[in-house]
Amino acid sequence: AEAIGLYNLGQSCCLNSLLQVFFMNIRFTRILRRITVPPSPGQRRSNVPYQMLLLLEKMQCGKCKAVGPTDLACCLSEHRVKLFVQHDAAQLFLTLWNLLKKQMKNPELVAELSDLYTICIQEHLACQKCSFEIKSNSTMLTLPLPVLDASSHRLKTLEDSLQYFFHPEELTGQNMCFCQQCGRKTTFLQSMKLVHPPQTLTLHLKRFCFEQSFRTHKLSHSLPFPQELDLREVLTEDQCLANDSEKATWQYELFAVVAHSGSTSCGHYCAYIWSLTECKWYCFNDSEVCQVSWDDVKCTYGHSNLYWRETAYLLFYMKKHPQ
Amino acid sequence: MAQWQEVQNLANTYLEQVHQLYARSALPMAVRQCLAAWIEGQNWRQAAEPLSSHAPMLFHSLLVLLGESLGSLGSGYEDFMLKHNLRKAHRDLQAEFGKKPERFANLVANLLQEERRILRLGQAGGQGGSVPPPSPAPESSREQQIQRRLAEFQTALQEAKRAFRHLEDLQDAFDFCYKVHYQPGQERNRDPEYIQELQTLQAKLQNLDRQRRGVLAQMQQLLGRSETLQELLQQELGDWRLRQQHVCLGAPGDTNLRHLETWFTELGQGLFQLRQLLRELNDLRQKVTYERDPLVAETPLLEQRLQEQLTHLLKSAFVVEQQPSTPNAGRRPLVLRTGSKFSARARLLVRLHDRNHRMEAKIHIDRDPPNIKGFRRFNILTSSSKTLLAGDSPQEGLICDFQYLTLKEQKDSRAGKGKGASGEGPLVVTEELHLITFTLAYAYCGLELELETTTLPFVIISNNNQLSSAWASILWFNMLSSDPKAQQFFSSPPAAPWPRLAEVLSWQFQSAAERGLSRENLLMLARKLLGSKPSPDSTVPWPKFSKDGAAGFSFWAWLDGILSLLQEHLKQLWKDGLILGFVSRKQEEKLLKSKMTGTFLLRFSESVLGGVTFTWVEHHERGSPSFHAVEPYKASELVSLALPDIIHNYQMMMEENPPENPLKFLYPNIPRDEAFGRYYSEKQEGNLDESKKYLNRRLIRVSSRQPKWQTEEELVVATENLEMLQLQPEGQGTQQPGGLPLPPSQGSGTAQVTPGNLGTPQVTPGNLGTAQVVATIPGTAQVTPGNLGTAQVTPGNLGTAQVVATVPGTAQVTPGNLGTAQVTPGNLGTAQVVATVPGTAQVTPGNLGTPQGVTTSRGTLQVMATSPGTLQVTPGSLGTPQGVAVSPGTPPVVATGPGVPQVTPGNLGTAQVVATGPGVPHVTPGNLGTAQVVASRMGMTQVMATSPGTLQVTPGSLGTPQGMATSPGTLQPRGLGTLQPQPQQVPQVVASGVPDIQGTLQVAPGAVGSLQVLPGGLGVLQVASGDLGTLLGQQGTVAVDTGMLQAAPGAVEPQQVPEEQGTLPPELRDLELLPGSQDMQELLQALEGLEPGPGTLGTLEGLEPGPGTLGTLEEAELMPDMGETFEERFQLSPASAALLDHHDPFLPQPEDCALPAVPSLFSSSDFLPLHIDASDFQ
């Protein structure tokens, strides 16, 4: 089946790109196809998973080059996802995912959806004065990766950025925390350990920075990302909390890139997605879909002199050897 | 070829599909045949859009054309039948689609699409599966890729233009209707006819809006693709720059800009056309606009993006085609002399200009002079500006050619020099780098840009004796600098890595005397420079190269002396390889020791600037041999007598015996006259005709024997270096180290060859020979064992080994780290390949050959068996072997560990794949191939059968094979594993699965597939058809025949209607409740109770202190679930602040919308109520 486009309904390029990323993920559609149908027409109309499935079926009947996600968009607007508004892809992804999870109802499916997307980490806070330590497990949907380091120097590659993200940070001065043991505010070392990355790992490049607290502007410089990502090679022993058999699954392949072109105030999203069934790259620009190559995907690395060009914003990696 | 013609050429199986397609089609095949060309020429897809004005027009045209062809038919019997059929078709079509022409357009569009699909299948099948379908096409060269992308860009651009024309039509139609029908006012609001008209108008506007968005999406796509294209062009241009730099240094290479100019011009042209299209799009907006007009929001973005791209293209397209050089500099550009003429040329690769606009090009020298004390400043004496004349020579392109330029030093510029300067002193003249900048005021189609480019740095001298050291600077800079504008380079010049320097030195000899330096030559030079054997990490500092020298001159001065000696007097001898050249004294003795008395060699003197000498060996009855060398000859002597003549007539004056020539054999054993005979000059001194009365006389060189031979200062203390000396190994084996061609060995010898840096050894053992080749960085070893020979090749780091075994040799290849081994055994040959981390081994056995490959971790093994060899591949952990069997070989592939074997048998081949461990084998049989796959423990097999292969899949315990059959392969699974066949888009029965006990069968056919599943006892049957829903059988009790789903192959029908039992009502087609599922309401309640509470992460507040929370409260409420974790993180980090404004600035603000008061007009239940801005219509 050739890939099908989605008509732009008015600033819906962001939604369209994310939907394509969801639909091209066969592991996700396997879950989606098993949802239970809400009984009443009204419930069906406002059920996001059901509307997504309907849209998927419409796309897959393969009769036209693009379909309009009108019903889904209406359904989303009932859940306060506004229409005709330029969304941030990372935020919309989170919103969509939460709506999906909330409305899927079947606990088995919800568990599978979580398994597919959530990143398990452990946070450590250790007092530097005494032995007091706080550990807490938490989950994340995306890793928000910096593209600049603390002193605003450009990070060179995605691996550097990941490494920097998991780098422990000393909380001192104003950021000091209260230590129960010492009974006063002390310097803490804050660190994060990766416990279990999911089947589909979502990375979010923080390609924007604040200038004089008012204006945000986009960082378009080059940040190459690999086609194959081995987290065992990127992270140090201290940054992981997993045994060897768990770590053996930490090898990833790039699955999709949601790219943004333009400035922070006006822009366009498109998605580059590796078709798992056809083994080739596609580029989705709303209703336009075309087959592309790795060269095209590489073009979204960014370029410091080309500010308006497409730059990767969300990266989706998939486990090479699922358990 | 036209599509219909291609369809008719299809093989019968595919033709049958076409017949079936038309059997159920409302468009008779007769009509398709009759109007084939016309039908294919129309844009039916576009016409099929709702309310298209195009559809009735096309439908009408078709009927008219059909009528015309009816009239032109003759009265024969065949024509009679055809006439009847066409007349019937005319009537039927008129009746069926007369009122719904857009349905007819949709029908034709779908038919054409389906034809293309069948064509693709048929043509792929016809190629005999020589190309494995899942793997991408072999990466073509960048040049081909650029050309392909340029063509695609052009096509897409034309398509965008067509879509734009269509948009214009739509807008005109809407505009007309609007002006006629839209009459704001109260009195007609209740008139049903008027309401009807308004609804039509509304629909037309919806359609216009969709087309506008479609065109914009096309533009976005086009810009995205052209970005990639430009990236490739920039890479190609970067390569050209590097090539130009190397060619300046004397490397061979092509610096023609023709291709680049064509490509840049084509892309530039395309982008300018796109720019024009964007302008016209803006004009459309001027005429009609409405609320949420996408043109308002998106065109500014597109314009910015395009402008940036075009500017980038033009700026990089301005290049210096010819670097500054004086006319007679020959091979040494970039060294200029004050007062002498020189020239330089720049070119704009985008050959687009406005004939009416004069473009001015200017040059400046040292526009931004570096801050170096005493840096000399120069003026360009001749005119420094030039008008780029358009139309002068269109085929030559846009060039600024500055000729006859001269430089003059500014008088006062060195005032500061030598006046007790504190800190670093000024650079010497030959280390001072200067630049010329070209600027061009470019203007085309309203785009104005200031373009500029700079030359490579050059050195300005005032005297010819500075030329040699000036050239050394140019060598050093271009060899090491990555920044072509680094004028401060020699303030702290970096050291040169030896391998890089060796290459550049070799180019000097190549360009002076057409032969580079051999490996032995370079080894001797390295010892001289470094004092030891070179390693890949050895570096040479700049002073060591150009300044210091024990003998009173620097290394470079010595080498340059030899270069000019070679060029002027010894070119031919050097070119023909008769001068061994760079051999140390110690080396020389070792070489000559074992040779016959009178064996001599030619080498360059190390103690004299620009001198050549010969050394010969003399054996005595007792004692060790003695070596004699003559005092070096210099250019001044070679002017009067050429070296071959000197050798020819050289005499040794003995004390008592008559004089004799001690030079008998050129090393190793070539008789003197055989080696030099053709260079002897016949010319004798004086004129022969006039001088008959005189006796001939010749000028000869004579030495007298002295007790001690003249010694030369040995500059280098060499250590023993035996491997270098194996120029002629014991026995009958033979080798060819780089530079010294020797005949191949015959018979049963053993050849051992070790190429070092940069050498290329070629080894050809004869019958029964054994060749062992070890390639080290970064040489290339090529080994061809003959009959019965055994070739063993071990490339080291970065080496490339190519082994070709012919009948019935055995080739063993072991690539080391990063090495690449390519092995091709011929008939009856046996190739054994062992790839270790992370080399790449490619093995291609010929007929009857048996390749055996073992990859260990991370290696990649590509094995290609042609008929009827046997292929055995054993990947180690993480290795990836890829096997392709062409008919009728049988490649059994055994993967152990976590390797990934990929096997694609071609026609008639049989592939057996056994995966153990957690490997994932991919198997794709081609036509008629048979693939047998056995996945054992933990293995995962993916099997893809293309028509009409047979696929047998036997999963072992816990293995999971996934099978995908495209028409009409057969899948036969067995055993305990899980089988997931997924046939795709096949109109016939394509997959039948029979799982045995305890197997799980998951079958997911694609859109049009139909499926027969016959599960045995205890199996779990899961059938998931793309369109037709999920059937979950209960464990152990599978209803046998109810799983059959048949769908009409649907291209023609707008919707598929499942017929058999087991299907569901349309609303629920995609889903079926699980058996025994609870009441829905109950379930919902149960689930609500189960929802996880907000995550706990109290410590987050201190984690990422950012400037406040940017999310809105509304959004926070939206995400109660998934743990507050996400939400909190999102708000806390500055990262998670929205990249984009939530409020689109391009959306018209309420006060901007001068909307007419017809709220009722567009308040229909339509999803997208678009509002017409009446102020735009007068």
Side-chain angles (χ1 to χ4, degrees):
Chain A
E2 278 175 26
I4 306 297
L6 289 168
Y7 281 111
N8 191 326
L9 306 174
Q11 307 284 346
S12 71
C13 53
C14 179
L15 176 66
N16 287 349
S17 299
L18 289 173
L19 287 177
Q20 296 286 9
V21 175
F22 273 120
F23 288 155
M24 295 289 282
N25 187 344
I26 48 177
R27 295 191 174 84
F28 172 76
T29 53
R30 243 176 247 163
I31 298 173
L32 189 66
R33 283 183 194 286
R34 282 154 51 206
I35 58 166
T36 39
V37 181
S40 78
Q43 280 170 320
R44 283 204 284 267
R45 213 167 27 245
S46 62
N47 185 286
V48 176
Y50 178 74
Q51 290 298 334
M52 266 178 90
L53 184 60
L54 281 189
L55 181 61
L56 175 65
E57 298 290 336
K58 204 159 130 198
M59 286 164 80
Q60 290 199 340
C61 80
K63 289 288 152 55
C64 35
K65 103 182 211 274
V67 299
T70 319
D71 295 339
L72 177 62
C74 285
C75 164
L76 285 171
S77 70
E78 283 185 36
H79 300 284
R80 300 198 223 171
V81 178
K82 286 189 188 127
L83 285 166
F84 315 119
V85 164
Q86 187 64 276
H87 289 278
D88 173 70
Q91 193 160 0
L92 187 61
F93 175 67
L94 192 68
T95 312
L96 265 182
W97 194 90
N98 280 329
L99 282 170
L100 277 171
K101 191 183 165 216
K102 188 182 175 190
Q103 299 184 1
M104 259 192 194
K105 303 298 180 193
N106 181 344
E108 198 183 308
L109 292 185
V110 170
E112 278 184 45
L113 187 69
S114 297
D115 270 359
L116 189 55
Y117 284 103
T118 58
I119 307 157
C120 300
I121 52 158
Q122 188 176 67
E123 311 236 20
H124 280 239
L125 271 174
C127 174
Q128 297 298 85
K129 292 273 180 284
C130 65
S131 58
F132 182 67
E133 198 177 11
I134 305 169
K135 286 181 191 173
S136 59
N137 289 322
S138 62
T139 51
M140 308 171 81
L141 194 59
T142 63
L143 294 182
L145 301 180
V147 297
L148 300 177
D149 67 11
S151 42
S152 290
H153 289 127
R154 290 169 182 176
L155 293 166
K156 292 279 185 309
T157 61
L158 182 75
E159 289 90 335
D160 287 353
S161 180
L162 270 167
Q163 173 65 239
Y164 190 78
F165 180 77
F166 281 99
H167 199 267
E169 192 186 349
E170 197 160 73
L171 303 177
T172 177
Q174 281 202 322
N175 297 326
M176 285 203 294
C177 303
F178 181 80
C179 174
Q180 298 172 359
Q181 213 158 297
C182 302
R184 62 187 171 95
K185 274 194 161 185
T186 57
T187 302
F188 269 74
L189 190 72
Q190 178 229 322
S191 59
M192 206 173 341
K193 290 172 197 251
L194 186 60
V195 179
H196 173 72
Q199 173 62 43
T200 303
L201 175 66
T202 312
L203 305 177
H204 170 208
L205 299 177
K206 303 197 293 188
R207 276 197 175 275
F208 38 83
C209 71
F210 298 91
E211 239 177 29
Q212 292 128 30
S213 72
F214 281 112
R215 276 190 57 244
T216 54
H217 76 98
K218 188 173 164 185
L219 302 164
S220 65
H221 68 259
S222 172
L223 187 100
F225 46 84
Q227 252 178 311
E228 304 204 343
L229 179 68
D230 191 341
L231 288 179
R232 295 171 304 175
E233 285 171 13
V234 177
L235 302 181
T236 62
E237 218 34 62
D238 297 341
Q239 294 166 343
C240 318
L241 196 72
N243 57 23
D244 284 349
S245 71
E246 160 68 25
K247 278 190 186 174
T249 67
W250 290 12
Q251 286 171 290
Y252 283 87
E253 272 172 322
L254 187 62
F255 160 66
V257 176
V258 170
H260 176 262
S261 60
S263 68
T264 48
S265 57
C266 113
H268 172 73
Y269 282 104
C270 65
Y272 291 86
I273 307 176
W274 174 256
S275 162
L276 297 163
T277 49
E278 295 166 272
C279 294
K280 47 192 177 191
W281 285 100
Y282 279 106
C283 177
F284 295 86
N285 255 307
D286 292 328
S287 52
E288 281 298 307
V289 184
C290 71
Q291 201 194 318
V292 295
S293 69
W294 173 238
D295 279 322
D296 294 276
V297 186
K298 273 201 298 192
C299 239
T300 65
Y301 283 172
H303 193 296
S304 28
N305 297 333
L306 296 169
Y307 178 75
W308 292 88
R309 215 195 227 195
E310 285 171 7
T311 42
Y313 184 53
L314 292 181
L315 298 172
F316 296 82
Y317 278 91
M318 258 193 203
K319 265 186 188 164
K320 260 196 207 169
H321 308 293
Q323 273 166 322
Chain B
M1 211 194 319
Q3 182 172 323
W4 186 243
Q5 247 167 323
E6 286 186 72
V7 166
Q8 285 168 302
N9 292 340
L10 279 172
N12 277 339
T13 38
Y14 299 103
L15 218 48
E16 184 52 38
Q17 295 183 25
V18 178
H19 280 295
Q20 286 193 10
L21 181 66
Y22 277 91
R24 282 180 304 272
S25 155
L27 180 76
M29 201 187 253
V31 177
R32 174 75 177 95
Q33 166 100 31
C34 179
L35 301 174
W38 182 83
I39 288 177
E40 283 163 35
Q42 311 307 313
N43 191 343
W44 296 97
R45 185 60 73 202
Q46 203 160 65
E49 306 265 337
L51 293 159
S52 166
S53 57
H54 209 45
M57 196 268 284
L58 280 183
F59 183 65
H60 183 67
S61 304
L62 179 118
L63 292 182
V64 170
L65 285 171
L66 204 55
E68 281 173 10
S69 26
L70 269 171
S72 65
L73 283 173
S75 52
Y77 171 72
E78 281 181 20
D79 279 356
F80 177 76
M81 279 308 293
L82 185 60
K83 249 184 186 164
H84 168 80
N85 286 340
L86 289 181
R87 197 167 284 131
K88 180 175 183 299
H90 191 282
R91 217 170 35 237
D92 291 349
L93 289 176
Q94 175 79 59
E96 193 170 352
F97 297 106
K99 296 240 170 61
K100 294 164 281 185
E102 58 286 341
R103 270 194 57 206
F104 179 73
N106 191 43
L107 166 81
V108 180
N110 285 337
L111 276 174
L112 291 176
Q113 186 181 325
E114 191 63 13
E115 276 179 20
R116 280 195 291 274
R117 190 190 65 79
I118 297 173
L119 255 182
R120 265 202 310 277
L121 275 179
Q123 286 167 344
Q127 283 159 10
S130 58
V131 182
S135 72
E139 200 53 38
S140 53
S141 72
R142 192 149 68 202
E143 191 173 317
Q144 287 169 320
Q145 226 198 93
I146 287 172
Q147 262 152 1
R148 183 174 52 77
R149 279 179 183 271
L150 271 172
E152 282 169 4
F153 181 73
Q154 284 303 334
T155 317
L157 184 63
Q158 294 314 316
E159 227 154 77
K161 281 183 181 171
R162 260 202 304 280
F164 175 78
R165 301 291 161 231
H166 181 62
L167 175 62
E168 275 185 325
D169 293 345
L170 282 181
Q171 179 161 326
D172 284 349
F174 168 78
D175 203 6
F176 178 77
C177 291
Y178 179 83
K179 282 175 181 155
V180 170
H181 297 298
Y182 182 60
Q183 296 156 345
Q186 301 297 318
E187 69 277 7
R188 292 193 63 193
N189 274 357
R190 289 173 190 281
D191 180 355
E193 200 180 317
Y194 181 63
I195 290 169
Q196 172 85 36
E197 273 163 5
L198 286 188
Q199 275 168 359
T200 321
L201 201 54
Q202 175 74 60
K204 276 190 156 55
L205 183 58
Q206 297 283 4
N207 197 25
L208 179 68
D209 182 64
R210 172 165 281 197
Q211 182 67 18
R212 280 188 174 187
R213 296 186 190 279
V215 170
L216 287 169
Q218 267 178 312
M219 299 270 227
Q220 296 278 15
Q221 192 72 278
L222 252 173
L223 277 178
R225 301 292 68 76
S226 67
E227 275 168 9
T228 313
L229 179 53
Q230 187 168 157
E231 194 70 40
L232 292 174
L233 288 185
Q234 300 294 355
Q235 284 168 16
E236 196 71 22
L237 185 63
D239 286 357
W240 175 84
R241 282 184 206 279
L242 203 63
R243 216 155 52 226
Q244 187 193 40
Q245 224 175 345
H246 289 172
V247 167
C248 277
L249 299 187
D254 181 13
T255 56
N256 198 316
L257 279 167
R258 208 175 43 245
H259 281 309
L260 276 170
E261 192 179 43
T262 316
W263 297 334
F264 268 81
T265 307
E266 275 183 42
L267 179 58
Q269 217 155 21
L271 291 179
F272 272 114
Q273 285 176 20
L274 206 54
R275 193 162 166 266
Q276 182 56 33
L277 205 56
L278 217 50
R279 283 182 180 181
E280 288 175 33
L281 218 49
N282 255 331
D283 291 345
L284 286 189
R285 191 189 73 192
Q286 300 299 322
K287 288 181 199 147
V288 175
T289 191
Y290 44 88
E291 196 182 353
R292 299 200 192 103
D293 181 356
L295 291 183
V296 176
E298 289 198 40
T299 42
L301 170 69
L302 282 165
E303 266 165 17
Q304 292 271 22
R305 207 172 148 190
L306 179 60
Q307 180 84 4
E308 182 182 80
Q309 219 184 107
L310 202 49
T311 308
H312 185 58
L313 182 79
L314 284 164
K315 284 193 167 165
S316 60
F318 195 42
V319 297
V320 176
E321 183 176 26
Q322 188 209 319
Q323 297 291 343
S325 60
T326 51
N328 302 320
R331 312 166 328 273
R332 295 187 171 179
L334 297 169
V335 178
L336 308 179
R337 198 155 69 89
T338 47
S340 299
K341 291 189 172 54
F342 71 96
S343 57
R345 182 168 66 238
R347 181 183 287 270
L348 182 63
L349 295 173
V350 176
R351 212 172 45 219
L352 298 174
H353 60 89
D354 186 351
R355 281 172 180 278
N356 302 320
H357 189 273
R358 275 160 42 105
M359 286 195 276
E360 190 85 3
K362 286 194 180 121
I363 51 171
H364 315 267
I365 183 162
D366 297 328
R367 205 177 48 173
D368 310 303
N371 186 17
I372 297 172
K373 190 155 185 57
F375 187 79
R376 295 174 299 164
R377 303 301 310 271
F378 291 87
N379 290 332
I380 296 173
L381 285 188
T382 28
S383 165
S384 65
S385 74
K386 219 172 150 84
T387 301
L388 200 72
L389 283 179
D392 249 9
S393 45
Q395 70 280 12
E396 275 178 32
L398 299 176
I399 52 172
C400 333
D401 200 356
F402 286 91
Q403 288 176 329
Y404 313 116
L405 296 170
T406 45
L407 294 172
K408 190 172 190 308
E409 190 177 345
Q410 290 176 8
K411 277 276 157 33
D412 53 1
S413 67
R414 304 190 78 174
K417 198 196 172 190
K419 279 185 183 170
S422 59
E424 289 174 36
L427 290 172
V428 294
V429 168
T430 53
E431 292 182 359
E432 214 178 80
L433 299 176
H434 298 270
L435 287 174
I436 284 180
T437 308
F438 289 78
T439 56
L440 176 67
Y442 183 75
Y444 182 64
C445 288
L447 180 75
E448 291 187 17
L449 277 178
E450 176 88 0
L451 305 179
E452 67 171 69
T453 182
T454 56
T455 63
L456 288 171
F458 49 87
V459 173
I460 305 174
I461 58 173
S462 50
N463 195 307
N464 272 346
N465 60 20
Q466 295 166 313
L467 198 115
S468 176
S469 54
W471 183 244
S473 303
I474 296 297
L475 285 185
W476 212 257
F477 179 88
N478 287 298
M479 176 168 58
L480 299 173
S481 175
S482 52
D483 174 14
K485 288 187 185 177
Q487 284 180 275
Q488 311 244 24
F489 180 77
F490 282 105
S491 299
S492 53
W498 168 249
R500 186 90 190 82
L501 179 60
E503 186 185 24
V504 171
L505 291 181
S506 190
W507 291 344
Q508 303 311 302
F509 283 80
Q510 178 76 45
S511 80
E514 297 174 40
R515 184 190 181 90
L517 294 172
S518 69
R519 184 171 169 266
E520 283 72 26
N521 291 157
L522 288 170
L523 205 60
M524 182 270 181
L525 291 178
R527 285 177 188 283
K528 199 170 162 65
L529 265 175
L530 304 164
S532 64
K533 211 176 153 186
S535 76
D537 305 325
S538 308
T539 56
V540 180
W542 167 241
K544 185 136 195 176
F545 178 77
S546 70
K547 294 181 176 156
D548 315 336
F553 45 81
S554 70
F555 174 84
W556 169 248
W558 170 71
L559 204 66
D560 201 31
I562 292 169
L563 277 168
S564 56
L565 183 76
L566 271 183
Q567 195 185 3
E568 281 160 39
H569 301 291
L570 303 171
K571 202 166 172 175
Q572 202 58 43
L573 293 187
W574 175 257
K575 191 177 157 188
D576 295 345
L578 297 174
I579 301 176
L580 215 47
F582 299 96
V583 190
S584 71
R585 177 55 67 66
K586 209 157 199 168
Q587 208 63 58
E588 171 181 275
E589 288 183 11
K590 217 172 283 169
L591 293 178
L592 292 175
K593 200 160 57 184
S594 60
K595 300 294 162 198
M596 279 176 286
T597 293
T599 303
F600 67 101
L601 53 79
L602 300 179
R603 64 180 181 85
F604 300 117
S605 162
E606 289 185 71
S607 56
V608 176
L609 270 185
V612 64
T613 182
F614 41 80
T615 306
W616 72 94
V617 63
E618 189 177 342
H619 290 280
H620 307 286
E621 285 173 19
R622 282 191 310 274
S624 52
S626 58
F627 305 91
H628 309 279
V630 74
E631 190 186 345
Y633 297 96
K634 301 175 74 171
S636 53
E637 292 156 288
L638 296 179
V639 166
S640 52
L641 195 56
L643 191 61
D645 291 329
I646 293 176
I647 291 168
H648 187 203
N649 298 319
Y650 183 74
Q651 299 283 301
M652 195 74 193
M653 302 299 277
M654 301 300 214
E655 280 138 16
E656 56 270 6
N657 301 329
E660 62 162 324
N661 191 342
L663 309 175
K664 297 196 170 63
F665 302 99
L666 179 66
Y667 177 86
N669 53 9
I670 311 164
R672 181 193 62 220
D673 292 347
E674 200 177 294
F676 292 97
R678 57 204 161 109
Y679 308 105
Y680 297 157
S681 73
E682 296 303 318
K683 194 183 81 180
Q684 299 186 340
E685 294 190 3
N687 191 317
L688 271 175
D689 293 333
E690 281 181 18
S691 60
K692 285 234 170 89
K693 50 192 168 181
Y694 297 115
L695 288 172
N696 288 344
R697 70 179 171 87
R698 286 182 295 181
L699 192 58
I700 61 169
R701 302 282 155 172
V702 179
S703 295
S704 51
R705 188 173 283 278
Q706 291 172 357
K708 261 182 101 184
W709 56 313
Q710 298 160 3
T711 56
E712 290 183 28
E713 188 184 358
E714 186 81 282
L715 290 180
V716 177
V717 183
T719 49
E720 293 277 300
N721 182 21
L722 287 171
E723 75 273 21
M724 191 196 114
L725 291 172
Q726 288 183 335
L727 289 177
Q728 194 154 34
E730 306 298 316
Q732 292 111 314
T734 303
Q735 57 177 354
Q736 302 179 349
L740 285 179
L742 293 167
S745 77
Q746 308 292 322
S748 58
T750 299
Q752 293 186 326
V753 187
T754 310
N757 284 349
L758 296 166
T760 302
Q762 294 182 327
V763 185
T764 313
N767 283 350
L768 293 166
T770 300
Q772 292 183 328
V773 182
V774 181
T776 54
I777 339 157
T780 301
Q782 294 184 326
V783 186
T784 312
N787 280 353
L788 294 168
T790 302
Q792 294 183 326
V793 185
T794 311
N797 284 352
L798 295 166
T800 300
Q802 292 185 327
V803 183
V804 181
T806 54
V807 215
T810 301
Q812 294 184 325
V813 186
T814 312
N817 280 355
L818 294 167
T820 301
Q822 295 182 326
V823 186
T824 312
N827 282 351
L828 294 165
T830 301
Q832 291 186 328
V833 184
V834 182
T836 55
V837 212
T840 301
Q842 295 184 326
V843 187
T844 312
N847 280 351
L848 293 167
T850 303
Q852 295 180 326
V854 181
T855 51
T856 53
S857 45
R858 292 164 143 236
T860 301
L861 191 63
Q862 291 186 329
V863 184
M864 192 176 298
T866 53
S867 56
T870 302
L871 198 62
Q872 292 185 329
V873 186
T874 311
S877 45
L878 293 167
T880 304
Q882 296 180 326
V884 180
V886 216
S887 56
T890 303
V893 181
V894 183
T896 56
V900 181
Q902 294 182 326
V903 185
T904 311
N907 278 352
L908 296 166
T910 301
Q912 292 184 326
V913 182
V914 181
T916 56
V920 181
H922 295 286
V923 185
T924 312
N927 278 354
L928 295 168
T930 301
Q932 295 181 326
V933 185
V934 182
S936 56
R937 279 193 303 264
M938 304 190 76
M940 153 85 91
T941 28
Q942 290 187 332
V943 185
M944 191 176 299
T946 54
S947 56
T950 301
L951 204 57
Q952 293 182 329
V953 187
T954 312
S957 46
L958 291 168
T960 304
Q962 293 183 329
M964 187 176 299
T966 51
S967 62
T970 306
L971 281 176
Q972 296 181 327
R974 266 206 315 245
L976 290 163
T978 304
L979 186 67
Q980 300 180 320
Q982 300 178 318
Q984 290 195 324
Q985 290 200 348
V986 187
Q988 288 107 29
V989 173
V990 288
S992 59
V994 188
D996 284 350
I997 8 167
Q998 295 192 38
T1000 300
L1001 182 69
Q1002 293 184 329
V1003 187
V1008 203
S1010 71
L1011 193 62
Q1012 284 185 333
V1013 187
L1014 302 166
L1018 281 173
V1020 176
L1021 176 69
Q1022 293 184 327
V1023 185
S1025 76
D1027 282 331
L1028 299 173
T1030 307
L1031 280 174
L1032 284 172
Q1034 281 177 331
Q1035 199 153 3
T1037 58
V1038 176
V1040 176
D1041 280 328
T1042 51
M1044 174 175 328
L1045 302 167
Q1046 283 190 341
V1052 190
E1053 300 297 324
Q1055 273 212 321
Q1056 293 170 33
V1057 183
E1059 295 166 1
E1060 298 289 302
Q1061 51 176 323
T1063 58
L1064 302 163
E1067 292 78 30
L1068 293 174
R1069 228 181 312 131
D1070 30 20
L1071 295 165
E1072 190 190 25
L1073 295 181
L1074 285 167
S1077 71
Q1078 306 169 49
D1079 174 81
M1080 195 47 58
Q1081 216 44 43
E1082 264 177 55
L1083 186 67
L1084 290 177
Q1085 282 163 5
L1087 287 179
E1088 242 128 56
L1090 282 176
E1091 265 178 23
T1096 53
L1097 194 76
T1099 54
L1100 256 177
E1101 276 143 332
L1103 296 189
E1104 280 189 76
T1109 60
L1110 283 137
T1112 61
L1113 269 179
E1114 284 178 5
E1115 277 145 5
E1117 284 166 16
L1118 266 180
M1119 294 168 275
D1121 177 355
M1122 181 54 218
E1124 298 289 328
T1125 323
F1126 292 163
E1127 182 52 27
E1128 290 220 11
R1129 172 156 293 282
F1130 213 79
Q1131 290 195 351
L1132 281 171
S1133 68
S1136 19
L1139 170 61
L1140 302 166
D1141 248 1
H1142 285 214
H1143 306 289
D1144 181 25
F1146 288 97
L1147 279 177
Q1149 298 306 306
E1151 59 268 25
D1152 296 336
C1153 304
L1155 196 67
V1158 267
S1160 60
L1161 167 56
F1162 296 117
S1163 60
S1164 65
S1165 59
D1166 271 308
F1167 165 67
L1168 251 185
L1170 297 170
H1171 297 281
I1172 299 166
D1173 189 342
S1175 63
D1176 290 310
F1177 307 95
Q1178 293 317 311

